[in-house]
Amino acid sequence: MNLFGILLCFLNLSLPTDSLESLVVKRIDILGNKKTKESIILREMTFEVGDTLNADVLSEKLERSRKNIFNTNLFLWCKADFDQENGGANIVIEVRERLYLLPLPMFFLADRSFNEWWYNRNHDLKRVTYGVLLNHSNLTGNADVLKVKAYGGFVPYFELSYNRPYIDKRQRMGLRAGVFYSTQKSFAYRTWEDKLDFVETDLRTQEKKGAFVEYNLRNALYHNHKVYLGYTESKLLGDAVDLNPNYFGTAVNFLPYFTLRYNYRFERVNNVQYPLDGQVLAASAVHYGLGLSDHLHQISFGFDYQVYKGLGGDFYGNMNLKGQLSYPKKQLYPFVSALGTKKSLVRGYELNVIDGQHYGLVQTNLKYEIFNTSLDISKVLPIKQLNNVPLALYSIVYADMGYVKNFFPEFSNSSLSNKLIYGGGVGFDLVTFYSTAAKINLSVNQFGFSKVYFGVYRGI
């Protein structure tokens, strides 16, 4: 008798026979994958054919594998089960594929958020960008993505990109590449009193074009590395260059530059679209200019840690710690960023952009699940990928705190940098399929300023 068995006898304990029985994984059957290659699904499994596991461990690993498969964003749902037979286990994975080709008409605001457009830009309909997004998220069945963006309106933009996540037999390395072009009449030429100031003209004032390539390495299930190399040419047209001499600095009105960026991401959550359990750790290092430009030389380091946890019953909590360090102290305006951009903000300050070289941010949320269900609309819409609509509603109480270090607050006449700011509020999240969440929040900051804010977030 082994030591574990002796201990059980001494304590007069026993375990169910099924949980101690060792099972050999004999086969893995995959059902429902009409487009997706089996290798893409098997890549997400935490075990393989031939492994020997007891029933409890197998059940745990199978559930983790099911979550991994669903988190590829290739499927509407995923089921996983196993049958025991003569000391072995037969695994059955069943999936329902999404609509992979999504030619979507696009109509969105050119401003950084709906709230910026509604409150700061007087909900001007001229500030709308429209067009089409052609997105094939599984072109050859290898989870490869072909994306075409063609927009007109306030910010005409074109982008063509292709992403192949795995190019080697071990399914570890991938490549992404693309080109882009944009032009616009109005753009934010400076931040003043912690809000954006725009060029007001009917003439084209800015043009950008460039290309990029990105190498991806997924050396483990939850670990991702990316190395991005891009080239951009940015040009100011007309009199826009006179409005902010620090916009391009000595480059005056034409700035060509390279960007080299490294990103690391560890992500292990129950649902990447709207996580309620798990954690995410991300880190980045960016070099603008790459030592090849006489006008631009900037290095930035960033981190982002998110933890999600069920608190019992229908309550959930999460916390996000985020920050950035960037050098040198004096930077060209388009490369200065802190709070108010890229989803980094202290709620209560949704209408502010706080420039600086370094920043730290803490966001906390307490959520209560009001309902989590799905609607069968097959009688109205007989497309199987769309006729079952998941819906979940969460009420939220939140509190945030942040600090921005700005070495040149006089450039933006900032009153919110170089001090601790905090805010909080209550709200609701409505979550549905295809990575869409609608948010409504009532936020208040430390000065007692409060407003209702809206947002729609999509993971396309």
Side-chain angles (χ1 to χ4, degrees), residues 1-144:
M1 180 179 293
N2 60 30
L3 181 61
F4 184 57
I6 294 173
L7 180 61
L8 289 177
C9 291
F10 178 76
L11 296 174
N12 195 28
L13 298 175
S14 63
L15 290 177
T17 304
D18 288 346
S19 66
L20 291 175
E21 183 181 358
S22 294
L23 300 173
V24 178
V25 179
K26 291 186 175 181
R27 55 189 292 180
I28 301 176
D29 295 324
I30 301 173
L31 307 176
N33 57 318
K34 297 180 180 179
K35 177 74 174 180
T36 309
K37 302 291 179 62
E38 284 195 1
S39 59
I40 297 298
I41 298 173
L42 293 174
R43 173 68 171 80
E44 306 302 321
M45 302 295 290
T46 58
F47 59 90
E48 57 187 24
V49 172
D51 286 357
T52 300
L53 307 164
N54 69 51
D56 285 349
V57 173
L58 179 58
S59 295
E60 181 181 335
K61 285 181 171 289
L62 186 58
E63 175 58 16
R64 184 67 253 178
S65 301
R66 186 196 67 79
K67 292 177 180 178
N68 293 346
I69 294 168
F70 180 76
N71 283 341
T72 62
N73 281 329
L74 294 173
F75 309 105
L76 292 174
W77 52 256
C78 175
K79 297 179 181 179
D81 205 350
F82 70 93
D83 296 322
Q84 299 184 39
E85 182 181 2
N86 299 326
N90 298 321
I91 310 299
V92 179
I93 305 293
E94 186 177 0
V95 296
R96 172 177 285 187
E97 295 183 323
R98 289 181 170 219
L99 280 176
Y100 296 128
L101 179 60
L102 289 173
L104 295 175
M106 302 300 293
F107 182 89
F108 57 91
L109 305 173
D111 294 297
R112 62 190 177 94
S113 70
F114 175 87
N115 304 298
E116 170 82 14
W117 174 76
W118 185 263
Y119 293 115
N120 288 347
R121 305 301 157 200
N122 298 318
H123 32 275
D124 183 0
L125 290 176
K126 293 181 180 179
R127 304 177 67 85
V128 169
T129 298
Y130 51 84
V132 63
L133 168 63
L134 179 63
N135 190 86
H136 201 306
S137 56
N138 199 8
L139 187 65
T140 66
N142 291 288
D144 48 338

Side-chain angles (χ1 to χ4, degrees), residues 176-223:
R176 183 173 74 99
V179 295
F180 62 89
Y181 173 83
S182 70
T183 181
Q184 58 193 105
K185 296 177 181 178
S186 178
F187 68 97
Y189 69 92
R190 71 171 182 176
T191 305
W192 192 252
E193 296 180 347
D194 302 304
K195 293 189 178 182
L196 298 177
D197 270 356
F198 280 79
V199 176
E200 299 298 339
T201 178
D202 291 329
L203 303 175
R204 287 195 309 142
T205 55
Q206 189 179 58
E207 182 181 75
K208 287 184 181 180
K209 58 184 175 181
F212 62 87
V213 62
E214 183 178 74
Y215 168 78
N216 307 313
L217 173 64
R218 189 184 178 198
N219 57 331
L221 275 175
Y222 310 110
H223 299 269

